[in-house]
């Protein structure tokens, strides 16, 4: 997945197409063939980019429009590079790990299969729902900023006003440094938990791999605390430790008893450092960079305690109860949340496998043959858009004011534009010619009666793409004269056909005379009817 994701993300970035990594990753992951040029092409189509897949002779390397995506083979493995520069001596590209790399021209040509995906940005190129996702991201950032401002204010009001310049000694600096270490540990341990549920994240992948000895996944998977339950691990306990310590300091307003308790706990944590180091070095023989950072923070905490020397003889039970409550609460909360987050990532896996099944034409045609078949000929009815050599005939029964019909329209029209289908559009009118729905249908038929299929397509597009379905405005854009009075018989014949076929909802779609099986959606047709 990472290579397909990186290549797609980089080409969008280089072309300046607005996108978000979350949507892009989900689209790639849920594709039936997620590690393929097809998955990249299908994903880029969602961004309304113009693209062409070609296989050309290697002598035509200089003719490729840049940037573009090329397929290469490395040790028999198919990979995708995002090509950015070609010269007489070298080729510059972003490799399978999304790192900018250059290599000799001849060396690159020996790897290149000749298959290339040429991509161009259009004026309408943008990620579907991009503005909504960006707003959600900015809203989260604003809330995060507010949180940290509030946190810093809390710290300042709780501790700093009590100090004067003369008081600034190690005894006063130590608690602030201790708090900083707790916060740093909390951030690092949060990243570890994030990695546990999102191991395909590009940024985390880059940090957690590198060299033969660095492998965060191997270390985290070999949880030595499995006997306590799969949700309890050293990473979970380290998060709880830093979380409880950080907020215990704030809640207790940096009291001596709180600092003393956390100091003792820091000393008790020192054996964990030795155990973790031994486990990585001797048992797993792999290193986790996050784990090493946490070990380093624990060492610094121990050093602060040793230098500070502010350990009291008695442990305050009130502070201990605060720490214990926060510690246990964070463990339980993570044990509850983690399966939900993991399930979200697993959903992409199941969606991809389901797509493989549903995109299998033999399976689709089997279900299609078992569904309802048209019993009355629809020849000559409604609006008919024809191609020269279509693979399928699609008949859609729709309603001008139907939301699902509006969503289905661009999908079927794209299939028609691609030459894959003939598209026949029928409507279910009322007998009353003054009914708003019937008046719109009458107008569609009058436009089509002029014999200009492009004009008919344009009118349907404008109607279904408009957020407000206003017939008066539509009629002004497409003025008709006597044609409106000639469509009544066509309307009645369509109405009679719909009644005979027992049409109960819109859109009702028939493919080669069989109703679209309930197991398949209109959205899935764009991958099946190709």
């Amino acid at each position: 997945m990472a290579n397909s994701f990186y290549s797609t993300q980089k080409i969008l970035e280089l072309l300046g197409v607005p996108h978000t990594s979350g949507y892009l990753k989900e689209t790639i992951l849920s594709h039936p063939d997620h590690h393929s040029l097809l998955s990249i092409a299908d994903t880029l189509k969602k961004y309304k980019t113009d693209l062409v897949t070609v296989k050309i002779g290697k002598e035509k390397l200089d003719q490729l429009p840049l940037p573009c995506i090329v397929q290469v083979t490395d040790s028999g493995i198919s990979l995708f590079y995002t090509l950015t520069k070609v010269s007489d001596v070298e080729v510059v590209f972003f490799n399978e790990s999304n790192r900018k790399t250059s290599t000799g021209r001849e060396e690159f040509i020996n790897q290149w299969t000749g298959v290339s995906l040429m991509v161009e940005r259009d004026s309408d190129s943008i990620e579907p729902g991009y503005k909504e996702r960006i707003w959600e991201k900015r809203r989260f950032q604003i809330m995060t900023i507010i949180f940290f401002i509030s946190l810093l204010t809390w710290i300042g009001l709780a501790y700093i006003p009590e100090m004067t310049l003369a008081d600034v000694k190690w005894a006063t600096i130590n608690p602030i440094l201790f708090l900083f270490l707790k916060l740093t540990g909390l951030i690092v341990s949060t990243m570890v938990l994030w990695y546990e549920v999102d191991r395909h994240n590009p940024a985390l992948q880059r940090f957690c791999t590198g060299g033969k000895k660095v492998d965060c996944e191997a270390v985290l998977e070999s949880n030595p605390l499995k006997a306590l339950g799969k949700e309890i691990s050293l990473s979970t306990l380290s998060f709880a430790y830093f979380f409880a310590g950080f907020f215990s300091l704030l809640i207790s307003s940096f009291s001596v008893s709180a600092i003393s308790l956390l100091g003792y706990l820091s000393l008790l944590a020192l054996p964990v450092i030795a155990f973790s180091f031994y486990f990585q070095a001797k048992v797993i023989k792999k290193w986790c960079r996050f784990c090493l950072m946490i070990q380093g923070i624990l060492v610094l905490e121990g050093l602060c305690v040793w230098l500070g020397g502010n350990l009291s003889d008695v442990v305050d039970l009130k502070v201990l109860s605060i720490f214990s409550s926060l510690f246990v609460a964070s463990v339980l909360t993570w044990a509850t949340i983690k399966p939900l987050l993991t399930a979200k990532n697993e959903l992409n896996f199941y969606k991809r496998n389901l797509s493989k099944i549903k995109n299998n034409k033999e399976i689709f045609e089997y279900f299609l043959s078992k569904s309802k078949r048209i019993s009355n000929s629809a020849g000559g009815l409604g609006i008919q858009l024809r191609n020269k050599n279509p693979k399928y005939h699609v008949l859609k029964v729709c309603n001008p004011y139907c939301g699902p019909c509006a969503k289905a329209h661009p999908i079927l029209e794209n299939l028609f534009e691609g030459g894959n289908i003939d598209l026949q559009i029928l409507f279910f009118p009322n007998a009353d010619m003054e009914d708003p729905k019937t008046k719109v249908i009458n107008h569609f038929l009058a436009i089509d009666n002029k014999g200009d299929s492009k004009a008919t397509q344009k009118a349907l597009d404008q109607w279904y793409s408009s957020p407000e379905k206003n017939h008066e405005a539509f009629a002004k854009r497409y003025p008709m004269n006597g044609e409106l009075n000639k469509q009544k018989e066509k309307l009645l014949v369509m109405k009679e056909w719909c009644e005979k076929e027992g049409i109960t909802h819109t859109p009702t779609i028939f493919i080669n005379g069989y109703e679209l099986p309930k197991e398949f959606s209109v959205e899935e047709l764009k991958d099946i009817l190709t």
Side-chain angles (χ1 to χ4, degrees):
M1 184 283 298
N3 185 206
S4 301
F5 171 77
Y6 288 146
S7 300
T8 311
Q9 185 184 51
K10 183 54 64 176
I11 198 74
L12 289 172
E13 180 184 315
L14 293 172
L15 293 173
V17 178
H19 65 282
T20 60
S21 59
Y23 175 85
L24 180 60
K25 182 172 68 173
E26 183 178 349
T27 305
I28 290 287
L29 268 175
S30 60
H31 194 277
D33 300 305
H34 61 285
H35 183 64
S36 68
L37 200 62
L38 177 62
S39 70
I40 296 174
D42 286 347
T43 300
L44 289 172
K45 286 177 183 177
K46 294 180 182 290
Y47 289 79
K48 297 182 180 179
T49 57
D50 297 325
L51 49 95
V52 178
T53 304
V54 296
K55 184 171 184 178
I56 61 176
K58 297 184 178 183
E59 70 280 359
K60 296 182 179 180
L61 175 61
D62 296 294
Q63 298 178 19
L64 287 175
L66 301 177
C68 68
I69 295 174
V70 294
Q71 184 185 54
V72 301
T73 56
D74 185 4
S75 301
I77 300 173
S78 178
L79 300 171
F80 306 107
Y81 292 167
T82 307
L83 202 61
T84 58
K85 180 183 177 182
V86 176
S87 70
D88 294 336
V89 294
E90 72 169 357
V91 175
V92 180
F93 54 88
F94 287 86
N95 64 14
E96 70 277 10
S97 301
N98 205 31
R99 291 188 175 89
K100 193 171 185 179
T101 309
S102 63
T103 188
R105 181 186 177 97
E106 288 303 319
E107 183 181 348
F108 175 82
I109 287 177
N110 289 334
Q111 287 185 301
W112 182 36
T113 64
V115 175
S116 306
L117 180 63
M118 296 179 288
V119 189
E120 288 187 3
R121 176 183 179 176
D122 197 354
S123 57
D124 297 326
S125 295
I126 192 172
E127 179 178 286
Y130 173 76
K131 292 181 180 179
E132 291 81 1
R133 290 188 193 90
I134 286 298
W135 166 239
E136 288 179 7
K137 183 178 179 180
R138 287 175 180 168
R139 184 170 55 192
F140 178 78
Q141 291 172 339
I142 290 170
M143 295 298 293
T144 303
I145 291 171
I146 292 173
F147 169 75
F148 278 107
I149 290 175
S150 303
L151 190 62
L152 291 173
T153 303
W154 184 7
I155 294 171
L157 293 175
Y159 185 73
I160 296 175
E162 299 177 5
M163 295 191 303
T164 63
L165 190 61
D167 296 325
V168 179
K169 301 175 183 177
W170 174 252
T172 55
I173 295 174
N174 186 48
I176 298 175
L177 181 58
F178 209 52
L179 181 72
F180 174 77
L181 290 173
K182 293 292 183 187
L183 178 59
T184 305
L186 180 60
I187 293 171
V188 175
S189 56
T190 300
M191 297 292 286
V192 178
L193 297 184
W194 182 12
Y195 181 76
E196 285 187 357
V197 298
D198 190 12
R199 299 189 180 184
H200 294 296
N201 184 281
L204 296 177
Q205 280 281 353
R206 282 196 292 270
F207 184 80
C208 289
T209 56
K212 295 181 180 180
K213 291 292 185 179
V214 178
D215 190 345
C216 293
E217 184 170 359
V219 176
L220 296 175
E221 279 291 331
S222 59
N223 177 20
L225 304 178
K226 287 181 180 178
L228 300 177
K230 62 180 181 180
E231 303 303 335
I232 305 298
S233 62
L234 283 175
S235 54
T236 306
L237 297 180
S238 66
F239 172 82
Y241 169 80
F242 288 115
F243 178 86
F246 179 76
F247 284 100
S248 293
L249 275 175
L250 294 182
I251 292 171
S252 64
S253 300
F254 297 88
S255 67
V256 174
S257 56
I259 296 172
S260 177
L261 171 66
L262 296 179
Y264 281 121
L265 292 173
S266 297
L267 296 178
L268 289 174
L270 292 177
V272 177
I273 301 172
F275 171 77
S276 178
F277 192 87
Y278 171 81
F279 193 75
Q280 293 177 74
K282 297 297 183 180
V283 179
I284 305 300
K285 297 180 180 178
K286 298 281 185 180
W287 296 100
C288 169
R289 286 174 175 166
F290 282 127
C291 301
L292 292 175
M293 289 174 68
I294 290 174
Q295 289 172 243
I297 294 168
L298 291 174
V299 169
L300 291 174
E301 278 191 1
L303 188 62
C304 282
V305 174
W306 180 64
L307 292 175
N310 47 2
L311 298 175
S312 61
D313 295 332
V314 181
V315 174
D316 190 327
L317 291 179
K318 180 181 178 181
V319 177
L320 179 61
S321 65
I322 292 172
F323 179 89
S324 301
S325 299
L326 291 171
F327 186 92
V328 174
S330 58
V331 172
L332 293 176
T333 301
W334 178 246
T336 304
I337 292 175
K338 183 179 178 180
L340 301 176
L341 297 176
T342 305
K344 182 180 178 182
N345 286 336
E346 289 177 350
L347 179 61
N348 287 321
F349 172 77
Y350 293 120
K351 283 171 65 178
R352 182 167 67 248
N353 287 341
L354 179 61
S355 295
K356 287 182 179 179
I357 296 172
K358 298 182 80 172
N359 287 355
N360 186 305
K361 286 186 170 56
E362 291 181 359
I363 293 175
F364 172 73
E365 289 173 1
Y366 171 80
F367 278 96
L368 191 65
S369 67
K370 299 297 180 181
S371 66
K372 176 185 173 182
R373 186 175 184 179
I374 291 176
S375 55
N376 299 277
S377 174
L381 299 183
I383 295 170
Q384 301 187 58
L385 305 175
R386 301 185 185 276
N387 273 308
K388 288 183 178 181
N389 298 301
K391 297 178 182 178
Y392 303 91
H393 177 270
V394 177
L395 187 152
K396 178 181 72 165
V397 183
C398 56
N399 179 337
Y401 292 98
C402 165
C405 294
K407 292 179 180 179
H409 178 78
I411 296 170
L412 295 178
E413 187 186 33
N414 286 338
L415 286 169
F416 171 76
E417 290 291 339
N420 299 314
I421 67 170
D422 269 348
L423 181 58
Q424 184 176 1
I425 304 173
L426 273 65
F427 301 91
F428 199 160
N430 292 325
D432 182 8
M433 294 297 293
E434 295 303 314
D435 179 79
K437 179 177 72 172
T438 304
K439 289 171 74 173
V440 177
I441 297 170
N442 192 48
H443 212 113
F444 285 155
L445 295 177
I447 295 170
D448 185 60
N449 195 55
K450 290 187 173 184
D452 186 346
S453 62
K454 292 294 183 184
T456 303
Q457 279 184 260
K458 184 178 179 181
L460 290 167
D461 289 347
Q462 289 180 341
W463 176 266
Y464 280 118
S465 63
S466 175
E468 294 184 8
K469 306 295 187 286
N470 188 317
H471 178 240
E472 291 184 5
F474 182 77
K476 289 179 181 178
R477 182 173 290 181
Y478 295 94
M480 295 286 118
N481 296 317
E483 293 90 348
L484 292 172
N485 300 321
K486 300 176 184 178
Q487 311 306 320
K488 185 173 182 179
E489 183 178 347
K490 294 180 181 178
L491 289 166
L492 293 175
V493 174
M494 272 198 304
K495 181 177 184 296
E496 183 181 0
W497 184 90
C498 291
E499 290 172 347
K500 286 181 178 179
E501 291 297 328
I503 303 299
T504 58
H505 64 277
T506 56
T508 298
I509 294 173
F510 295 90
I511 300 169
N512 290 346
Y514 292 89
E515 187 174 354
L516 178 67
K518 63 180 181 297
E519 292 83 5
F520 295 83
S521 67
V522 179
E523 179 77 16
E524 290 166 334
L525 292 180
K526 62 187 178 183
D527 296 318
I528 298 171
L529 303 185
T530 53

